[in-house]
């Protein structure tokens, strides 16, 4: 594959929304040209009417080229069509026809689809082309003039089309940017495999809760969970099946959690639930419910013979003054006490789980 084609495909992969919009613009422009065909037949300008037939054909071929990812060819067809069509319209029936408005549509397209330097070079060339048409029409008369009333109607039609297309492009841009921001925010705050909050976001959410708790003191309890013998599942059945197990457990945690709880993947096969307005007793009830639900999951559709999957939970209530990392460390000690006592258990942090000094975890 030639290098320019590779670069072309690379750009299309970087800006899929732009190329999708370009395909829609092909459809809109072809529709406008069909309207022009009828208008100029009515005005008695057969040359301009049949020019629009050629334009429709060019847009149809450009649309097909976009679908085949031949973006360079499609863009060149659109540029040629607009440049030539605008010039012919202006030269044949006059500057006041407003065909020059369509040249302005190139400006956002240039800067959205090209490197900045190339976009500026072509924008300057477009400016020179625009000014050249204006100067030319100040020196010559239109070759196929129409009545002043017809010229006014054509101008209004062209202005309306360009106005609506700019409005549509702006709306599409705003929607695209908003979606991109949401997507980036989701990527920054969620675990890509399970869709739960990631470790960093769980820390941030808990710190916000703690700041609120200082103003309105309420119970804040942590539930740290770890799947039992998960390494053996990966070793025996492969990491792909292990990922499916994590996804299913994550979905169950979302279902079991309360609306005010924060559920996240803490790391590997570990999950964390931050429970506002909950004491250890309430958290233990919830943890037992989750433990039983995980143990009751049916895995036969994923892997026949896959043994029962269970988990251990460690519970700690944040105390004052205590760092978040200290509370997590106490929940972790309770969790591994449950592992040592046979797994598939829920354990609460005990006084002996308090560290001699708060050691900040690497978050």
């Amino acid at each position: 594959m030639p290098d320019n084609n590779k670069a072309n495909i690379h750009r299309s992969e970087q800006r899929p929304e732009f190329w999708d919009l370009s395909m829609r613009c092909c459809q809109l422009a072809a529709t406008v040209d069909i309207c022009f065909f009828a208008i100029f037949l009515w005005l008695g300008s057969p040359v301009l009417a049949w020019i629009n037939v050629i334009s429709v054909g060019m847009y149809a071929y450009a649309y097909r080229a976009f679908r085949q990812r031949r973006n360079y060819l499609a863009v060149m067809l659109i540029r040629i069509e607009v440049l030539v069509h605008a010039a012919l319209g202006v030269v044949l029936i006059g500057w006041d026809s407003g065909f020059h408005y369509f040249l302005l549509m190139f400006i956002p397209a240039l800067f959205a689809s090209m490197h900045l330097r190339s976009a500026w070079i072509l924008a300057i060339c477009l400016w020179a082309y625009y000014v050249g048409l204006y100067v030319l029409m100040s020196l010559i008369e239109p070759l196929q003039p129409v009545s002043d009333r017809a010229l006014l109607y054509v101008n209004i039609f062209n202005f309306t089309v360009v106005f609506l297309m700019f409005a549509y492009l702006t709306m599409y841009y705003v929607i695209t940017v908003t979606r991109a921001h949401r997507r980036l925010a989701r990527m920054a705050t969620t675990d890509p495999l399970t869709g739960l909050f990631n470790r960093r976001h769980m820390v941030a959410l808990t710190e916000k809760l703690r700041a609120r708790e200082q103003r309105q003191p309420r119970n804040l309890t942590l539930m740290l969970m770890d799947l039992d013998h998960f390494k053996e599942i990966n070793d025996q059945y492969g990491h792909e099946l292990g990922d499916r197990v994590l996804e299913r457990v994550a979905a169950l945690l979302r279902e079991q959690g309360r609306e005010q709880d924060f559920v996240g993947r803490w790391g590997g096969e570990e999950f964390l639930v931050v429970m506002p307005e909950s004491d250890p007793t309430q958290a233990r009830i919830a943890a037992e419910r989750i433990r039983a639900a995980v143990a009751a999951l049916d895995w036969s559709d994923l892997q026949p013979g896959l043994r029962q999957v269970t988990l251990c939970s460690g519970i700690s209530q944040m105390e004052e003054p205590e760092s978040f990392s200290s509370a997590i460390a106490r929940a972790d000690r309770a969790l591994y006490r449950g592992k040592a006592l046979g797994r598939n258990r829920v354990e609460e942090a005990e006084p002996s789980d308090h560290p001699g000094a708060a050691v900040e975890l690497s978050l």
Side-chain angles (χ1 to χ4, degrees), residues 18 62 86 92 94 97 104 107 135-136 172 185 210 290 303 338 344 358:
F18 174 79
L92 290 174
S97 63
L104 302 177
I107 297 174
V135 172
L136 176 65
Y172 189 88
R210 292 202 66 200
I290 292 172
Q303 178 65 48
N344 194 21

Side-chain angles (χ1 to χ4, degrees), residues 123 174-175 184 225 343-344:
V174 170
I175 292 174
L184 289 173
M225 293 165 284
R343 295 182 168 82
N344 194 21

Side-chain angles (χ1 to χ4, degrees), residues 141-202:
E141 294 296 324
L143 301 182
Q144 288 189 356
V146 296
S147 67
D148 290 342
R149 182 179 294 275
L151 194 64
L152 175 63
Y153 291 156
V154 172
N155 187 295
I156 292 174
F157 181 82
N158 284 334
F159 174 79
T160 302
V161 170
V162 172
F163 184 91
L164 291 176
M165 291 190 72
F166 265 116
Y168 175 77
L169 290 172
T170 303
M171 179 189 70
Y172 189 88
Y173 173 79
V174 170
I175 292 174
T176 300
V177 169
T178 302
R179 287 176 179 171
H181 285 171
R182 289 175 181 171
R183 185 166 58 249
L184 289 173
R186 186 167 58 251
M187 292 172 60
T189 59
T190 60
D191 172 61
L193 175 64
T194 63
L196 300 178
F197 291 137
N198 60 24
R199 184 184 182 113
R200 183 182 297 275
H201 194 54
M202 288 294 287

Side-chain angles (χ1 to χ4, degrees), residues 7-310:
N8 180 46
I9 290 176
H10 177 65
R11 286 194 296 270
S12 71
E13 290 172 346
Q14 285 184 318
R15 303 181 179 93
E17 296 87 356
F18 174 79
W19 301 116
D20 178 65
L21 178 60
S22 298
M23 293 173 67
R24 298 186 187 188
C25 286
C26 282
Q27 295 172 314
L28 292 173
T31 302
V32 171
D33 284 332
I34 291 172
C35 295
F36 271 133
F37 176 77
I39 290 172
F40 286 113
L41 280 182
W42 175 63
L43 291 176
S45 298
V47 174
L48 274 175
W50 288 105
I51 286 173
N52 285 282
V53 173
I54 298 173
S55 296
V56 171
M58 293 180 71
Y59 281 119
Y61 197 83
Y63 181 84
R64 181 182 178 185
F66 276 129
R67 289 184 65 87
Q68 297 172 345
R69 299 182 69 185
R70 299 163 65 190
N71 298 329
Y72 180 77
L73 172 62
V75 169
M76 290 305 299
L77 284 171
I78 293 173
R79 289 175 179 172
I80 292 171
E81 195 285 328
V82 175
L83 290 172
V84 174
H85 200 161
L88 287 174
V90 168
V91 170
L92 290 174
I93 63 174
W95 181 262
D96 290 337
S97 63
F99 276 99
H100 52 87
Y101 298 148
F102 291 98
L103 297 176
L104 302 177
M105 298 293 298
F106 276 138
I107 297 174
L110 291 175
F111 288 94
S113 63
M114 305 182 68
H115 295 297
L116 188 60
R117 180 180 177 183
S118 300
W120 273 112
I121 292 173
L122 288 182
I124 293 172
C125 293
L126 178 65
W127 172 84
Y129 187 81
Y130 193 96
V131 172
L133 275 179
Y134 179 77
V135 172
L136 176 65
M137 295 314 298
S138 68
L139 300 175
I140 67 172
E141 294 296 324
L143 301 182
Q144 288 189 356
V146 296
S147 67
D148 290 342
R149 182 179 294 275
L151 194 64
L152 175 63
Y153 291 156
V154 172
N155 187 295
I156 292 174
F157 181 82
N158 284 334
F159 174 79
T160 302
V161 170
V162 172
F163 184 91
L164 291 176
M165 291 190 72
F166 265 116
Y168 175 77
L169 290 172
T170 303
M171 179 189 70
Y172 189 88
Y173 173 79
V174 170
I175 292 174
T176 300
V177 169
T178 302
R179 287 176 179 171
H181 285 171
R182 289 175 181 171
R183 185 166 58 249
L184 289 173
R186 186 167 58 251
M187 292 172 60
T189 59
T190 60
D191 172 61
L193 175 64
T194 63
L196 300 178
F197 291 137
N198 60 24
R199 184 184 182 113
R200 183 182 297 275
H201 194 54
M202 288 294 287
V203 173
L205 289 173
T206 307
E207 293 300 338
K208 288 181 181 179
L209 277 175
R210 292 202 66 200
R212 188 178 68 187
E213 294 287 320
Q214 291 177 359
R215 296 190 298 270
Q216 299 175 338
R218 292 171 182 159
N219 293 332
L220 183 61
T221 305
L222 308 181
M223 183 195 308
L224 187 63
M225 293 165 284
D226 184 273
L227 297 183
D228 298 326
H229 301 295
F230 185 73
K231 183 177 183 302
E232 295 179 12
I233 296 176
N234 278 335
D235 292 343
Q236 184 174 356
Y237 299 106
H239 288 275
E240 184 175 352
L241 180 65
D243 288 346
R244 303 291 80 76
V245 170
L246 291 174
E247 288 175 339
R248 185 163 295 184
V249 172
L252 184 145
L253 292 178
R254 275 194 296 267
E255 295 172 1
Q256 294 287 332
R258 303 173 304 173
E259 185 177 350
Q260 66 266 36
D261 294 341
F262 299 127
V263 185
R265 186 181 180 190
W266 192 242
E269 65 271 24
E270 285 189 327
F271 300 92
L272 175 65
V273 179
V274 177
M275 306 179 67
E277 303 178 26
S278 298
D279 58 31
T281 300
Q282 294 170 313
R284 185 180 187 93
I285 294 172
E288 289 287 0
R289 185 179 66 249
I290 292 172
R291 182 198 61 77
V294 171
L297 286 173
D298 181 14
W299 304 98
S300 58
D301 60 320
L302 292 183
Q303 178 65 48
L306 179 62
R307 70 183 185 183
Q308 180 189 41
V309 175
T310 60

